[in-house]
Structure formats: C-alpha cells, structure tokens
Amino acid sequence: MARILIVDDSPADLKFLETALQSARHQVTALNDPAQVEAVADQVRPELLMVDVVMPGRNGYEVVRGLRKQPGMEALKVVFVSSKGNETDVKWGLRQGADDYLVKPYTPEQLMTVVQKLVG
C-alpha cells in the first residue's frame, strides 16, 4: 500500500484514478486544484504523484518543479497522466522529471502496472 497524490482538473479522471487505486488498497488523496499541491503534499507525504499535464493556472510540469523544491520530496515518484500522448510529449514529460507517463485513455490494468513498477 502506497500513499498516492493525484492531481487532475477533470472530476471524471480524478474519480477513475481514485477508484482504481483505492481498490488496490492504496491510500489516495485527490486534488483538482494544482495550486494546493505543495500544502497537501507536505501533510500527506506521498510516495507517488500522478498529475495531469494540462490544467488551468498551473500545468503538471510546474507542479512537479514546485514539489521537487520541497524538503523530503526529492525521491517522490512522478507519473504524468495526460491526453497529450505523442512521442515528443512523452519524451518531454520524462525529461521534466517524470518516472513514467500514462496516456489517456488508459485501462485500470495499465494504471496498476505503472503503479506497481514504481511503488510496489
């Protein structure tokens, strides 16, 4: 069981992630506002961050850069979850510090494979 923070501006995508991860017995905190990430991460101390790339106000890359500056977050595993799925998007996401990249739409099985690989 891992502590996982998910951030997405889409309520449907948040619910899908939350349901799939909780069914695998992970402790999930869901946020739809990327501006709250640092404060919530400081309280929750997640082992894995799953974050959408395209969000209003603050994109996923900015979220990851902000979190990486926080003490204790250097080892945080990151997965970008995005509909931006061409090869250059995925490569760019990995270069921005992601450990993996999940392209929407995805199946619960694909999600669990990525999570298992990163946090067991």
Side-chain angles (χ1 to χ4, degrees), residues 20-79:
L21 293 169
Q22 285 177 339
S23 71
R25 305 277 184 245
H26 293 290
Q27 183 182 357
V28 180
T29 302
L31 281 178
N32 66 355
D33 181 359
Q36 299 175 351
V37 170
E38 285 87 356
V40 171
D42 197 44
Q43 294 171 356
V44 175
R45 307 311 277 173
E47 299 161 68
L48 175 64
L49 170 69
M50 303 195 78
V51 60
D52 188 12
V53 173
V54 180
M55 296 182 287
R58 194 170 178 212
N59 68 42
Y61 306 132
E62 293 167 325
V63 167
V64 171
R65 283 194 289 274
L67 270 181
R68 293 270 193 226
K69 292 177 184 174
Q70 279 191 244
M73 292 291 156
E74 302 84 4
L76 178 68
K77 300 290 184 192
V78 174
V79 176

Side-chain angles (χ1 to χ4, degrees), residues 84-110:
K84 295 179 65 145
N86 67 43
E87 187 178 344
T88 55
D89 292 322
V90 173
K91 285 182 178 178
W92 180 250
L94 296 173
R95 287 181 56 201
Q96 296 303 303
D99 296 284
D100 213 327
Y101 197 106
L102 196 56
V103 178
K104 297 176 186 177
Y106 51 87
T107 65
E109 292 78 21
Q110 291 168 315

